[in-house]
PDB file of all heavy atoms in Angstrom:
ATOM      1  N   LEU U 270      16.699   0.432  -6.080  1.00  0.00           N
ATOM      2  CA  LEU U 270      17.091   0.623  -7.469  1.00  0.00           C
ATOM      3  C   LEU U 270      15.903   1.000  -8.343  1.00  0.00           C
ATOM      4  O   LEU U 270      16.085   1.566  -9.419  1.00  0.00           O
ATOM      5  CB  LEU U 270      17.734  -0.649  -8.021  1.00  0.00           C
ATOM      6  CG  LEU U 270      19.140  -0.957  -7.545  1.00  0.00           C
ATOM      7  CD1 LEU U 270      19.612  -2.273  -8.135  1.00  0.00           C
ATOM      8  CD2 LEU U 270      20.092   0.148  -7.906  1.00  0.00           C
ATOM      9  N   GLY U 271      14.717   0.702  -7.893  1.00  0.00           N
ATOM     10  CA  GLY U 271      13.523   1.046  -8.657  1.00  0.00           C
ATOM     11  C   GLY U 271      13.289   0.144  -9.849  1.00  0.00           C
ATOM     12  O   GLY U 271      12.652   0.552 -10.820  1.00  0.00           O
ATOM     13  N   VAL U 272      13.812  -1.069  -9.784  1.00  0.00           N
ATOM     14  CA  VAL U 272      13.681  -1.983 -10.911  1.00  0.00           C
ATOM     15  C   VAL U 272      12.219  -2.319 -11.160  1.00  0.00           C
ATOM     16  O   VAL U 272      11.731  -2.225 -12.299  1.00  0.00           O
ATOM     17  CB  VAL U 272      14.488  -3.278 -10.654  1.00  0.00           C
ATOM     18  CG1 VAL U 272      14.269  -4.284 -11.748  1.00  0.00           C
ATOM     19  CG2 VAL U 272      15.959  -2.959 -10.515  1.00  0.00           C
ATOM     20  N   ILE U 273      11.490  -2.662 -10.119  1.00  0.00           N
ATOM     21  CA  ILE U 273      10.100  -3.087 -10.283  1.00  0.00           C
ATOM     22  C   ILE U 273       9.238  -1.907 -10.732  1.00  0.00           C
ATOM     23  O   ILE U 273       8.449  -2.022 -11.670  1.00  0.00           O
ATOM     24  CB  ILE U 273       9.570  -3.694  -8.976  1.00  0.00           C
ATOM     25  CG1 ILE U 273      10.415  -4.909  -8.591  1.00  0.00           C
ATOM     26  CG2 ILE U 273       8.114  -4.085  -9.101  1.00  0.00           C
ATOM     27  CD1 ILE U 273      10.156  -5.432  -7.214  1.00  0.00           C
ATOM     28  N   ALA U 274       9.404  -0.779 -10.079  1.00  0.00           N
ATOM     29  CA  ALA U 274       8.616   0.394 -10.451  1.00  0.00           C
ATOM     30  C   ALA U 274       8.950   0.856 -11.868  1.00  0.00           C
ATOM     31  O   ALA U 274       8.059   1.286 -12.613  1.00  0.00           O
ATOM     32  CB  ALA U 274       8.868   1.519  -9.450  1.00  0.00           C
ATOM     33  N   ASP U 275      10.207   0.742 -12.248  1.00  0.00           N
ATOM     34  CA  ASP U 275      10.615   1.140 -13.592  1.00  0.00           C
ATOM     35  C   ASP U 275       9.987   0.236 -14.650  1.00  0.00           C
ATOM     36  O   ASP U 275       9.503   0.712 -15.686  1.00  0.00           O
ATOM     37  CB  ASP U 275      12.136   1.112 -13.703  1.00  0.00           C
ATOM     38  CG  ASP U 275      12.642   1.784 -14.956  1.00  0.00           C
ATOM     39  OD1 ASP U 275      12.007   2.761 -15.397  1.00  0.00           O
ATOM     40  OD2 ASP U 275      13.686   1.345 -15.484  1.00  0.00           O
ATOM     41  N   PHE U 276       9.957  -1.073 -14.382  1.00  0.00           N
ATOM     42  CA  PHE U 276       9.317  -1.991 -15.331  1.00  0.00           C
ATOM     43  C   PHE U 276       7.823  -1.713 -15.437  1.00  0.00           C
ATOM     44  O   PHE U 276       7.252  -1.744 -16.516  1.00  0.00           O
ATOM     45  CB  PHE U 276       9.539  -3.440 -14.922  1.00  0.00           C
ATOM     46  CG  PHE U 276      10.927  -3.918 -15.134  1.00  0.00           C
ATOM     47  CD1 PHE U 276      11.430  -4.961 -14.394  1.00  0.00           C
ATOM     48  CD2 PHE U 276      11.751  -3.328 -16.068  1.00  0.00           C
ATOM     49  CE1 PHE U 276      12.721  -5.407 -14.583  1.00  0.00           C
ATOM     50  CE2 PHE U 276      13.040  -3.765 -16.275  1.00  0.00           C
ATOM     51  CZ  PHE U 276      13.530  -4.808 -15.524  1.00  0.00           C
ATOM     52  N   ALA U 277       7.188  -1.469 -14.296  1.00  0.00           N
ATOM     53  CA  ALA U 277       5.752  -1.175 -14.320  1.00  0.00           C
ATOM     54  C   ALA U 277       5.483   0.123 -15.079  1.00  0.00           C
ATOM     55  O   ALA U 277       4.498   0.225 -15.812  1.00  0.00           O
ATOM     56  CB  ALA U 277       5.211  -1.090 -12.900  1.00  0.00           C
ATOM     57  N   ASP U 278       6.372   1.084 -14.935  1.00  0.00           N
ATOM     58  CA  ASP U 278       6.207   2.350 -15.645  1.00  0.00           C
ATOM     59  C   ASP U 278       6.409   2.169 -17.145  1.00  0.00           C
ATOM     60  O   ASP U 278       5.639   2.699 -17.949  1.00  0.00           O
ATOM     61  CB  ASP U 278       7.190   3.382 -15.094  1.00  0.00           C
ATOM     62  CG  ASP U 278       7.033   4.734 -15.741  1.00  0.00           C
ATOM     63  OD1 ASP U 278       5.878   5.173 -15.917  1.00  0.00           O
ATOM     64  OD2 ASP U 278       8.060   5.364 -16.088  1.00  0.00           O
ATOM     65  N   ARG U 279       7.414   1.440 -17.529  1.00  0.00           N
ATOM     66  CA  ARG U 279       7.707   1.251 -18.957  1.00  0.00           C
ATOM     67  C   ARG U 279       6.650   0.416 -19.667  1.00  0.00           C
ATOM     68  O   ARG U 279       6.429   0.576 -20.858  1.00  0.00           O
ATOM     69  CB  ARG U 279       9.073   0.613 -19.137  1.00  0.00           C
ATOM     70  CG  ARG U 279      10.189   1.546 -18.785  1.00  0.00           C
ATOM     71  CD  ARG U 279      11.530   0.963 -19.056  1.00  0.00           C
ATOM     72  NE  ARG U 279      12.566   1.858 -18.524  1.00  0.00           N
ATOM     73  CZ  ARG U 279      13.840   1.677 -18.715  1.00  0.00           C
ATOM     74  NH1 ARG U 279      14.267   0.644 -19.414  1.00  0.00           N
ATOM     75  NH2 ARG U 279      14.702   2.515 -18.208  1.00  0.00           N
ATOM     76  N   THR U 280       6.021  -0.504 -18.950  1.00  0.00           N
ATOM     77  CA  THR U 280       5.006  -1.353 -19.578  1.00  0.00           C
ATOM     78  C   THR U 280       3.588  -0.827 -19.338  1.00  0.00           C
ATOM     79  O   THR U 280       2.628  -1.473 -19.758  1.00  0.00           O
ATOM     80  CB  THR U 280       5.102  -2.794 -19.042  1.00  0.00           C
ATOM     81  OG1 THR U 280       4.948  -2.776 -17.616  1.00  0.00           O
ATOM     82  CG2 THR U 280       6.425  -3.430 -19.412  1.00  0.00           C
ATOM     83  N   HIS U 281       3.480   0.308 -18.660  1.00  0.00           N
ATOM     84  CA  HIS U 281       2.185   0.937 -18.363  1.00  0.00           C
ATOM     85  C   HIS U 281       1.259  -0.015 -17.610  1.00  0.00           C
ATOM     86  O   HIS U 281       0.073  -0.104 -17.891  1.00  0.00           O
ATOM     87  CB  HIS U 281       1.510   1.423 -19.661  1.00  0.00           C
ATOM     88  CG  HIS U 281       2.391   2.308 -20.482  1.00  0.00           C
ATOM     89  ND1 HIS U 281       2.775   3.566 -20.058  1.00  0.00           N
ATOM     90  CD2 HIS U 281       2.973   2.117 -21.688  1.00  0.00           C
ATOM     91  CE1 HIS U 281       3.561   4.112 -20.974  1.00  0.00           C
ATOM     92  NE2 HIS U 281       3.702   3.250 -21.980  1.00  0.00           N
ATOM     93  N   THR U 282       1.823  -0.750 -16.667  1.00  0.00           N
ATOM     94  CA  THR U 282       1.050  -1.687 -15.851  1.00  0.00           C
ATOM     95  C   THR U 282       1.254  -1.386 -14.370  1.00  0.00           C
ATOM     96  O   THR U 282       1.446  -2.292 -13.563  1.00  0.00           O
ATOM     97  CB  THR U 282       1.455  -3.144 -16.154  1.00  0.00           C
ATOM     98  OG1 THR U 282       2.862  -3.282 -15.947  1.00  0.00           O
ATOM     99  CG2 THR U 282       1.091  -3.538 -17.572  1.00  0.00           C
ATOM    100  N   GLY U 283       1.203  -0.111 -14.019  1.00  0.00           N
ATOM    101  CA  GLY U 283       1.411   0.294 -12.630  1.00  0.00           C
ATOM    102  C   GLY U 283       0.352  -0.240 -11.685  1.00  0.00           C
ATOM    103  O   GLY U 283       0.587  -0.351 -10.483  1.00  0.00           O
ATOM    104  N   ASP U 284      -0.834  -0.579 -12.220  1.00  0.00           N
ATOM    105  CA  ASP U 284      -1.886  -1.121 -11.369  1.00  0.00           C
ATOM    106  C   ASP U 284      -1.570  -2.530 -10.876  1.00  0.00           C
ATOM    107  O   ASP U 284      -2.203  -3.021  -9.952  1.00  0.00           O
ATOM    108  CB  ASP U 284      -3.228  -1.109 -12.104  1.00  0.00           C
ATOM    109  CG  ASP U 284      -3.187  -1.873 -13.422  1.00  0.00           C
ATOM    110  OD1 ASP U 284      -2.100  -1.940 -14.039  1.00  0.00           O
ATOM    111  OD2 ASP U 284      -4.241  -2.392 -13.830  1.00  0.00           O
ATOM    112  N   ARG U 285      -0.562  -3.171 -11.454  1.00  0.00           N
ATOM    113  CA  ARG U 285      -0.167  -4.527 -11.045  1.00  0.00           C
ATOM    114  C   ARG U 285       1.142  -4.531 -10.247  1.00  0.00           C
ATOM    115  O   ARG U 285       1.808  -5.555 -10.146  1.00  0.00           O
ATOM    116  CB  ARG U 285      -0.017  -5.412 -12.274  1.00  0.00           C
ATOM    117  CG  ARG U 285      -1.308  -5.600 -13.020  1.00  0.00           C
ATOM    118  CD  ARG U 285      -1.149  -6.603 -14.138  1.00  0.00           C
ATOM    119  NE  ARG U 285      -2.372  -6.708 -14.891  1.00  0.00           N
ATOM    120  CZ  ARG U 285      -2.564  -6.176 -16.081  1.00  0.00           C
ATOM    121  NH1 ARG U 285      -1.597  -5.485 -16.662  1.00  0.00           N
ATOM    122  NH2 ARG U 285      -3.698  -6.323 -16.710  1.00  0.00           N
ATOM    123  N   LEU U 286       1.489  -3.403  -9.683  1.00  0.00           N
ATOM    124  CA  LEU U 286       2.761  -3.276  -8.974  1.00  0.00           C
ATOM    125  C   LEU U 286       2.851  -4.243  -7.797  1.00  0.00           C
ATOM    126  O   LEU U 286       3.895  -4.850  -7.559  1.00  0.00           O
ATOM    127  CB  LEU U 286       2.952  -1.832  -8.491  1.00  0.00           C
ATOM    128  CG  LEU U 286       4.317  -1.470  -7.970  1.00  0.00           C
ATOM    129  CD1 LEU U 286       5.366  -1.638  -9.065  1.00  0.00           C
ATOM    130  CD2 LEU U 286       4.323  -0.050  -7.467  1.00  0.00           C
TER     131      LEU U 286
END
Side-chain angles (χ1 to χ4, degrees):
L270 286 178
V272 175
I273 300 169
D275 192 33
F276 288 155
D278 183 43
R279 290 184 187 186
T280 58
H281 307 293
T282 56
D284 57 331
R285 296 186 183 104
L286 191 61

